[in-house]
Amino acid sequence: MKETESLLSILTSKVALSQASAGALAQVCATLLLFPLDSVKIMVQLDHSLSALQILKDHVREGNLGRLYHGITAKLVQSPQQKFQYFYMHTLLKTLYKRSVSTREMPVSHSLAIGYLAALQGLLTTLPLDVVTNRMISQGKKMSESKDKDSIVHKNTMVATFLS
């Protein structure tokens, strides 16, 4: 009974929740600011004949700067979720480690292992959303050329993500 209460107090820790919330909020801000650069990077990868500067110039000239934000909805779900999970799990694992070991200082190798495990656990839920975002960006570039919006919606379902 005492172990269950102890585990519950760790899981509902205000420190873990505040760390995770701060990480998620910071990621929302970073995503909003840097998403156009990620879009340009993916467009350069799709068309090696264009430079990042050329893509930006074309978007400004055509008045299509909003197209650089194509796919941001999925990214605004994926990125904060990933950071929240990472910081929450990292804080929990660190707390559990410190309770099980009597020393105050954590060796670097143990700290790295905790960080690795915290990052690894989030991949299952965030990787499919990242794939959807990248597809939306790449299909958005193709959509502007073909104007076939229905095929993008069909191809970017979660089922299609896992089957690809």
Side-chain angles (χ1 to χ4, degrees):
M1 184 73 171
K2 202 172 198 178
E3 287 180 26
T4 305
E5 289 176 7
S6 177
L7 184 59
L8 186 60
S9 71
I10 292 171
L11 290 174
T12 59
S13 163
K14 289 181 182 179
V15 173
L17 291 172
S18 65
Q19 293 281 334
S21 298
L25 183 60
Q27 187 60 41
V28 167
C29 295
T31 299
L32 289 171
L33 291 172
L34 299 175
F35 190 80
L37 296 176
D38 197 33
S39 295
V40 169
K41 176 193 74 166
I42 291 171
M43 289 177 194
V44 167
Q45 291 171 343
L46 289 172
D47 188 356
H48 297 291
S49 66
L50 295 175
S51 68
L53 190 57
Q54 184 62 43
I55 290 172
L56 285 173
K57 284 180 183 178
D58 289 348
H59 278 78
V60 170
R61 186 180 66 243
E62 296 168 7
N64 287 332
L65 285 176
R67 197 168 75 201
L68 293 176
Y69 282 94
H70 188 78
I72 195 166
T73 305
K75 192 70 166 179
L76 283 172
V77 171
Q78 181 261 342
S79 294
Q81 175 191 352
Q82 180 183 29
K83 293 303 178 200
F84 185 91
Q85 284 179 292
Y86 172 80
F87 284 109
Y88 185 75
M89 186 58 69
H90 186 271
T91 304
L92 292 179
L93 291 173
K94 194 172 166 183
T95 302
L96 288 171
Y97 176 84
K98 286 184 176 182
R99 286 190 179 184
S100 67
V101 178
S102 61
T103 62
R104 287 192 170 254
E105 291 295 318
M106 182 184 305
V108 173
S109 61
H110 293 188
S111 183
L112 289 171
I114 286 174
Y116 175 76
L117 292 172
L120 189 62
Q121 63 80 32
L123 286 178
L124 185 62
T125 57
T126 59
L127 191 59
L129 289 171
D130 198 33
V131 170
V132 168
T133 301
N134 290 341
R135 283 187 180 174
M136 289 178 79
I137 293 168
S138 63
Q139 292 295 324
K141 181 177 180 348
K142 293 176 186 175
M143 181 179 68
S144 67
E145 298 164 359
S146 70
K147 306 292 185 213
D148 183 16
K149 296 179 183 180
D150 293 332
S151 66
I152 293 171
V153 173
H154 177 69
K155 290 179 184 175
N156 286 320
T157 63
M158 290 303 283
V159 173
T161 301
F162 284 111
L163 294 178
S164 63

